[in-house]
Amino acid sequence: MTPSQIGSDQHRPLRVAVVGAGPSGFYAVAALLDAPDLHVSIDVFDRLPAPFGLVRYGVAPDHEKIKRVDRVFDKTARDPRVRYYGNVALGRDVSRRELLDLYDAVIYAVGAQSDRRLGIPGEDLDGSWSSTEFVAWYNGHPDFAAAEYPLSHRQVAVVGIGNVAMDCARLLARPAEDLASTDISDTALEVFRDSRVEDVHILARRGPAQAACTPSELKELGELDGVDVIVDPAALDDPEMAGEADRQTKKNLDLFREFAEGGEGDADGEARRRIHFHFLASPVEVLDDGDGRVEGLVVEDNELVERDGRLRPEGTGRRRELPVSAVIRAIGYRSVPLPDVPFDEAWGIIPNRDGRVTTWRDGTREEEAPVQPREYVVGWAKRGPSGLIGTNKADSNDTVERLLEDAGEWVHDEGAGDGEVARDEEGRAAIEELLRQRGVPWVDYAGWQAIEKLETERGAESGRPRAKICRVDELLEASGTLPAAARAESA
Ligand code: NAP
């Protein structure tokens, strides 16, 4: 069979499983649906009942416009060639081997669910929080429905100067009444309403010209009501700084200059909160109050040294203490290994060559690693946690192109050594039969639409786009998903 015949109408459709219903997964689904003359059938799995991954659980609640990309994914999901299986986790409910037996190809689109570590003493004290978890909590992620982030102290540090750090700092500083019209979780809204935070300290280990945040995120900090943004003008007086800077850096530097010119103290003297930028500053120890809680942060001043073509921070030995009672570590996300799927610990990704999963482990040269046939990866699990949501579109398109290039080989070679590749109808029935036998209550797309309807109705009562349901059992109930036993009987 030639690649152009695969999935053509004369043959059964190409059956693809996409693991992960976030942006990179949905962009991959869209690329498959858009492939000319391709007869395709796609099953999308997500370990959570609700789809859309980072759009629902990562994008800040006050960035409603960015969240609206879910409309694009919704349109994709409604295509009759696509089926959704929410609340189905790879490794818990279905194995990698079973997916490979039931589908022609598997695309991993699992994102990056964990965070990088600082590797300093006191990092695990009560009050030292990972931004991944803090962000997921205020966005109503079921894994953190019971988590507690008391904002009962005046001083908080945010480590890192990427966009996640900007989101965290903005939410901590923003008046809670601004959040009341967003889809923030009910629990988080209450906590932000009672917040006693007055000072948010952003720690950048390098200088203002190396800030990873984008200008639009930075600008927003200056637009918050009743909030001063404080930058020491001395941090900006290096005339070389903007020398070779790209457009983004130049815009960031202009904004830092505006903040610095604003000086300490709000123009109208009414600032309720302050955001302080500390450049060339690395945390070296989180201090313990004697009861296992954060009592302060020891910070070391850095200087920049050029190594391997990059400006890197190097400690000067000069240390000082910030009297903070909470530390949010926003220094980057990291993927989590999937059971039985190759994982590169050093890079925190699924090893791959242009999206084709390889067996590459630490120590093997990337270009020599053998490809694992019929397995692909997209998004942050493929390239690491970088880029905006839209960045995933081109990235997923590339992986799907590779998949379609390869498809001729394995559809032709049906079953060879890799288990029987099922016919479409049989395959569809088989996955559901398998889930039923295991008692997995999966949420289909109609189930998600029922959740969404309930959330939007509840939200409308208080002028919000939605009031999120944050617990798995309540999401299942709202979806109308039958308990597995009842589903088996009705089958
Ligand atoms: P990021 O952009 O990679 O920023 C990570 C920050 O942590 C950098 O400032 C980095 O500094 C710092 N860092 C790393 N290791 C550190 C250490 N050991 N000590 C101190 N600082 C350390 O990552 P992110 O903020 O998690 O964002 C991930 C991606 O999502 C980015 O592409 C971001 O633009 C995107 N995002 C977009 C939005 C939006 O569009 N609104 C919102 C959130 C996230 P160095 O530069 O020195 O390494």
Side-chain angles (χ1 to χ4, degrees):
M1 196 180 290
T2 67
S4 63
Q5 283 177 299
I6 297 163
S8 70
D9 280 336
Q10 295 90 327
H11 299 276
R12 68 174 178 83
L14 185 75
R15 282 184 44 77
V16 182
V18 175
V19 181
S24 65
F26 269 107
Y27 283 129
V29 174
L32 285 163
L33 295 178
D34 287 349
D37 306 321
L38 183 73
H39 186 28
V40 69
S41 161
I42 307 157
D43 290 352
V44 181
F45 297 88
D46 201 287
R47 76 179 178 93
L48 294 174
F52 310 142
L54 209 63
V55 173
R56 183 173 162 96
Y57 295 123
V59 174
D62 57 345
H63 278 171
E64 209 194 327
K65 257 199 206 149
I66 302 180
K67 282 186 186 271
R68 292 278 49 105
V69 68
D70 64 0
R71 292 186 185 155
V72 177
F73 303 147
D74 175 68
K75 190 162 169 266
T76 304
R78 287 167 190 257
D79 189 291
R81 294 167 287 176
V82 180
R83 283 186 317 174
Y84 177 62
Y85 294 93
N87 199 41
V88 178
L90 178 65
R92 181 188 68 190
D93 305 316
V94 61
S95 71
R96 163 182 170 262
R97 175 48 52 197
E98 284 160 347
L99 288 185
L100 284 167
D101 284 350
L102 290 169
Y103 297 87
D104 297 312
V106 179
I107 302 178
Y108 303 110
V110 290
Q113 297 163 30
S114 182
D115 60 314
R116 284 195 202 125
R117 304 274 301 165
L118 279 168
I120 62 170
E123 186 167 9
D124 294 316
L125 287 173
D126 196 2
S128 167
W129 305 327
S130 115
S131 60
T132 323
E133 297 180 4
F134 184 66
V135 167
W137 165 76
Y138 64 59
N139 272 315
H141 192 298
D143 287 357
F144 303 98
E148 289 181 14
Y149 293 95
L151 300 175
S152 49
H153 300 276
R154 297 206 335 256
Q155 311 252 355
V156 177
V158 177
V159 184
I161 188 170
N163 279 340
V164 172
M166 296 301 110
D167 283 349
C168 293
R170 190 180 67 255
L171 261 78
L172 289 168
R174 168 152 252 161
E177 52 270 30
D178 288 4
L179 297 172
S181 57
T182 71
D183 71 354
I184 191 169
S185 85
D186 293 345
T187 318
L189 182 57
E190 283 314 304
V191 173
F192 281 110
R193 276 195 168 125
D194 294 341
S195 166
R196 296 179 60 196
V197 171
E198 290 178 1
D199 291 276
V200 180
H201 300 269
I202 298 180
L203 298 185
R205 66 177 172 178
R206 299 192 290 156
Q210 289 80 40
C213 58
T214 46
S216 51
E217 311 294 312
L218 188 56
K219 188 161 178 271
E220 275 182 274
L221 297 187
E223 293 167 346
L224 298 173
D225 273 348
V227 177
D228 258 358
V229 184
I230 297 164
V231 172
D232 179 357
L236 296 155
D237 64 10
D238 176 359
E240 305 275 299
M241 196 179 289
E244 302 289 305
D246 56 23
R247 259 184 68 218
Q248 169 170 318
T249 305
K250 281 193 172 126
K251 280 193 185 164
N252 278 352
L253 288 173
D254 287 345
L255 287 161
F256 284 130
R257 250 175 231 116
E258 276 176 35
F259 295 149
E261 281 160 15
E264 196 149 344
D266 194 51
D268 54 14
E270 284 179 5
R272 281 178 297 167
R273 289 181 173 147
R274 288 159 295 276
I275 297 173
H276 309 256
F277 278 93
H278 301 256
F279 293 106
L280 294 167
S282 279
V284 287
E285 183 178 358
V286 187
L287 298 173
D288 190 334
D289 71 351
D291 279 326
R293 278 204 48 85
V294 173
E295 183 180 58
L297 188 64
V298 181
V299 174
E300 180 168 353
D301 291 342
N302 294 327
E303 56 192 14
L304 290 181
V305 290
E306 193 170 340
R307 233 185 1 255
D308 308 325
R310 188 176 146 91
L311 285 171
R312 295 173 193 276
E314 205 165 271
T316 59
R318 279 193 307 275
R319 293 185 172 193
R320 63 204 152 94
E321 213 179 293
L322 282 178
V324 297
S325 306
V327 176
I328 300 181
R329 309 177 310 261
I331 63 166
Y333 287 67
R334 196 183 148 79
S335 289
V336 173
L338 288 170
D340 212 18
V341 177
F343 189 71
D344 187 274
E345 284 291 343
W347 291 93
I349 56 167
I350 296 177
N352 69 91
R353 212 155 44 238
D354 303 327
R356 294 178 173 108
V357 174
T358 67
T359 55
W360 172 41
R361 303 271 172 186
D362 299 338
T364 313
R365 282 162 61 92
E366 185 187 351
E367 59 276 18
E368 287 168 3
V371 163
Q372 305 234 125
R374 307 195 287 121
E375 287 178 279
Y376 298 84
V377 59
V378 291
W380 283 4
K382 168 185 175 184
R383 61 174 202 280
S386 66
L388 308 179
I389 287 174
T391 315
N392 291 300
K393 189 170 182 184
D395 175 286
S396 293
N397 286 350
D398 283 348
T399 293
V400 166
E401 263 181 46
R402 301 291 85 74
L403 185 158
L404 295 175
E405 275 168 24
D406 300 345
E409 287 171 34
W410 21 264
V411 173
H412 172 70
D413 202 13
E414 210 157 294
D418 258 323
E420 187 93 351
V421 177
R423 309 259 119 206
D424 188 43
E425 284 314 313
E426 289 166 17
R428 290 203 148 189
I431 183 70
E432 295 192 1
E433 184 51 34
L434 188 140
L435 296 176
R436 234 179 253 119
Q437 274 172 10
R438 294 207 174 132
V440 180
W442 76 88
V443 176
D444 57 18
Y445 205 68
W448 157 244
Q449 288 167 317
I451 296 172
E452 173 142 68
K453 184 164 176 286
L454 194 60
E455 288 189 337
T456 10
E457 281 168 7
R458 283 190 189 167
E461 290 164 15
S462 48
R464 308 170 63 187
R466 68 173 76 230
K468 275 186 186 165
I469 301 171
C470 305
R471 288 175 36 157
V472 168
D473 54 349
E474 290 173 7
L475 284 160
L476 292 181
E477 195 185 331
S479 74
T481 297
L482 293 174
R487 202 163 212 160
E489 277 165 28
S490 73

